[in-house]
Amino acid sequence: MSGLAAGIRAAYYDQKVCVLERHYTIGGLNSFYRLRGRNYDVGLHAVTNFTPPGTRKGPFARLLRQLRMKWDDFGLSPQLMSSISFPGTELLFDNNIDLLRSEVAREFPAQIDNFDRLIDSLVDYDDLEQKHFEVSTRERLEQLIPDPLLIEMILCPIMWYGNPRERDMDWGQFCIMFRSLFLEGFARPFDGVRLILKKLVRKFRDLGGELKLRTGVSKIKVQNGRAIGVVLDSGEELGGENILSSAGAIETFKLCESNDDVHAHTTGQLSFVEAISTLDKFPREFGHDKTIVFFNDSEKFHWERPTEDFCDVRTGVVCTPNNYCYDEKDGDLPDGIMRVTALADYERWRNVDEQQYQSEKQKWFDRVQASATRFVPDYRQHVIDNDMFTPHTIHRFTWHENGAVYGATRKWLDGTTSIKNLFLCGTDQGFVGIIGSIVSGISMANQHLLARS
Amino acid sequence: MTPAEIRAAVIDILETIAPDEDLSNLDDAKEFRDQMELDSMDFLDIVMELRKRYRVQVPEEDYENLVSMASTVSYLEPKMAETPAE
């Protein structure tokens, strides 16, 4: 998506652009697959950064202006209500920060002033700089909020939706995510993320851009410190003035065949499984009316790659795509759907044969659901169809090393590399999520393809 | 183009970049930034649209001339004197 957004910007200002996509469909992880007549979304739980029509500030408003699109083009419907659920303590939130504030005041009365101070201390999107970006979030939070449980409860949703690092988080990334989740909000297009993808592709092609699907890049050719073109999987070569890569930082450096592996240690370790169930009832019919539930089964939130087993189900995210405030004319989705995400170890999932892969999938599907139903009504008797995607699936869609959903553990905020006309955009530039990746593509195209042209 | 035509051309660009802004009460002497929600990306777009529509080049060191409508028009006047009005 970041590549397509960058392509739209460059093509709009009359540059000749070709977008190369390895997969047969676009969108990277924000994609879907079809199984037994049903579409399964891979990426989208929610579009974060949601702001209502007429809002002039924030990434979504900026994106619309920059791509010359209308608010309605995204077809977004806001969430109903979500929660952060720990044993015995729950914080509800929606797209208005006042609800979360009142919940913090109710559950943690001594901390509400500190919580307000936290909100005031968030760095604005535009003021993010590399040197402040990498400060420890845990240290900052401990200074601001002397209540460990509240810290863990704030970190749980924020890490789940965009932290590539284990255990701690870059302060800059925390600020981005806090804004996008709590000060802006969640929404979803009724027709899924496919609608947004279609609009972006149409826009890009209308402006004269060329999109090649099933066209993987196997090498970026570098001569005298400049990228001169790419070699495709087919062996064909394409030349270009500038190359913008959304393949991920480490993945891009590997394509350049530089022997420089100084960034190898920044490869992300965090990957997921997701148990998707189709139900014979709508979730609200058995009393589940929340959009997203972030759960954790103890007072300490463990955000790390499982080392003992295929998955770690102590924490997870339950997403119910039915529970958005859809337009009356659309009604509800055709089926009730519950999606539960848990942490998973890419290596274990990769190193099993097909038979064991299938049996582990079944086993962990049951465990993930059993864990989640401690925090949401038990829906298991209503399941009529199911599937689970694994780190293996994520790797297939994103090509990220380790199936790391949020990419490398450090970010390249300015998008530059040691090769002067090769730039990064997308997850490893620093913004995650759908709006985030589009904004990443826009800003990298502005800085490196347009402002310097 | 006359200064009035240049002003109209800039208004047209601003409408493209920020379709939700009401430009009818724009004060030419005041900075855009104080009257509209424009960020650095939008300023780049003013420059890029001028280039795209009128082939006018605004080098980076001259961006400061684009702070208000009055300064923009007087900066563009010599550059666009020969540009035919649309």
Side-chain angles (χ1 to χ4, degrees), chain A residues 310-370:
Chain A
F310 284 72
C311 297
D312 178 351
V313 300
R314 290 176 295 177
T315 179
V317 186
V318 185
C319 166
T320 308
N322 305 86
N323 291 344
Y324 284 87
C325 196
Y326 296 123
D327 238 26
E328 261 175 43
K329 69 171 170 45
D330 292 324
D332 204 332
L333 303 174
D335 298 299
I337 296 168
M338 298 288 274
R339 301 172 56 175
V340 189
T341 319
L343 289 164
D345 176 14
Y346 173 73
E347 282 301 318
R348 272 180 216 268
W349 284 99
R350 198 184 62 138
N351 291 321
V352 288
D353 62 30
E354 178 60 22
Q355 198 185 351
Q356 198 194 347
Y357 181 77
Q358 292 304 336
S359 73
E360 293 294 339
K361 250 175 89 160
Q362 195 51 55
K363 181 169 106 188
W364 285 100
F365 186 92
D366 294 340
R367 290 187 184 178
V368 168
Q369 281 198 330

Side-chain angles (χ1 to χ4, degrees), chain A residues 9 12 56 65 68, chain B residues 21 39 42 45 49 52:
Chain A
R9 285 292 292 171
Y12 180 84
R56 290 147 140 198
R65 289 208 302 274
R68 313 283 189 261
Chain B
E21 295 280 352
D39 57 31
D42 297 318
D45 271 46
E49 290 284 352
K52 183 175 158 130

Side-chain angles (χ1 to χ4, degrees), chain B residues 2-81:
Chain B
T2 63
E5 286 164 342
I6 295 172
R7 185 184 188 279
V10 175
I11 289 280
D12 200 54
I13 289 173
L14 292 173
E15 277 170 353
T16 307
I17 297 168
D20 296 330
E21 295 280 352
D22 176 13
L23 300 171
S24 53
N25 295 319
L26 191 78
D27 182 342
D28 286 16
K30 272 171 87 177
E31 295 197 359
F32 290 130
R33 235 178 244 282
D34 296 335
Q35 305 182 73
M36 304 167 64
E37 291 286 346
L38 290 188
D39 57 31
S40 56
M41 286 192 187
D42 297 318
F43 279 97
L44 173 69
D45 271 46
I46 298 177
V47 173
M48 296 298 296
E49 290 284 352
L50 284 167
R51 185 196 302 181
K52 183 175 158 130
R53 297 179 186 198
Y54 304 105
R55 306 277 149 216
V56 178
Q57 299 283 353
V58 181
E60 209 171 334
E61 58 271 22
D62 289 353
Y63 284 11
E64 59 193 275
N65 292 298
L66 307 182
V67 290
S68 71
M69 181 59 94
S71 69
T72 302
V73 172
S74 61
Y75 171 74
L76 292 174
E77 222 186 302
K79 288 180 170 275
M80 294 177 75

